Amino acid sequence: MRGGGKASGLLRLQLISLSSVLFCRIGLSTTPPPNPTENPSLQNAFVALQAWKKVITSDPKNVTGSWVGTDVCSYQGVFCSPPPDAKFGKVVSGIGLNHAQLAGVFPMELGLLTYIAIFHVNSNYFQGTIPSSFSSLTLLFELDVSNNLLAGGFPSVVLEMTSIKYLDIRFNHFEGPLPGGLFGMPLDAIFVNDNNFDGIIPSNLGDSSVSVANFANNQFQGAIPNSIGKMATTLNEILFINNKFSGCIPQPVASLNQLNVLDVGTNKLSGLLSDSIGLLKDLSILNVANNFLTGIIPSSICSLPNLTNFTCSNNYFINVSPTCLSLPSAGVIFDDIGNCIPNQPLPRLLKQCLTFLLQPLSCLLTI
Ligand SMILES: *[C@@H]1O[C@H](CO)[C@@H](O)[C@H](O)[C@H]1NC(C)=O
Ligand SMILES: *[C@@H]1O[C@H](CO)[C@@H](O)[C@H](O)[C@H]1NC(C)=O
Ligand SMILES: *[C@@H]1O[C@H](CO)[C@@H](O)[C@H](O)[C@H]1NC(C)=O
């Protein structure tokens, strides 16, 4: 039985913890260790953090130099507070080791930090992946392992961590597809950008409750799912920039009436830029540059009250509304260079425009 296996594993760790504490006491500790029967949670934290220290291979800032003795609450980067269940006086409630320049891995024993709400280790050199024992971190709210050297498929243990609101695994070396289960989680933010993820975005994207989703700078392909329109009451920012998305910009995007940022730049999107995007009253940043879009750059978009940067360069647009051309004089960034618009600066070559525009209009363009 899986649950039983996990439990006995933890028990074994607790026994190890007991012996290492006794050992420590005889050896070098000057402060008396917490009584294990009074606060097993701090005992477990001690085991977890010593196991972690053991697999840290580089620590130029000597962060773990303070990780000695059993008073784990005095360790650098380790935070304690009273637990929500009031079972103990205090527990380890957070790990804050951003920019610590640590190298190593995350050991299984970190699953013993069952009271942590925050695990922030961004901008280090951690390798490997997120261990399965993280499923024991049932209070974890923010998981930020961004800007490390983590690799392998999407860390599937994340799908079992139902208390997470903020998931940040960007700037690592993760690869392969995203699981559909990701969008069934009650998350507020998903950052998976700047990895090597590929495959399609699962069609249930729209089930996600996030306000921010960043898929940028991966190798995603296929269509942006139509279900995106279901995120109308929650979504503020979504970024797809620099992937290989194809097809048209899905029409249901026009119902995302809380949207501030839409970035689909540098993909292989085709078809028209619908003037219904001009319904997105809160839209501030719109980037559709470097795609295969054509038709007219709609005035409805250029009339949006909160627009600050509308970039539509390097497409095959054939006309632009005067409303758009007057945006810069109102302090709004508007960039439409590299299109097929007569009398605009730096257009595409006439030959390129003709070849492209002679094809039938389609969402299935293969270029
Ligand atoms: C690392 O920090 C510990 C505790 O702060 C200190 O005792 C030790 O001398 C330091 N080591 C180095 C190499 O600076
Ligand atoms: C525009 O921005 C302002 C301030 O940044 C904000 O209060 C407002 O709700 C936004 N939306 C619209 C439609 O003006
Ligand atoms: C406007 O948006 C484009 C596309 O995202 C970006 O490259 C550019 O830096 C932005 N301009 C400013 C001033 O933010």
Side-chain angles (χ1 to χ4, degrees), residues 1-10 12:
M1 259 170 52
R2 197 148 152 271
K6 201 179 281 169
S8 68
L10 286 179
R12 203 160 50 236

Side-chain angles (χ1 to χ4, degrees), residues 263 287 309 311 333:
D263 191 338
N287 179 23
N309 183 345
T311 303
I333 294 159

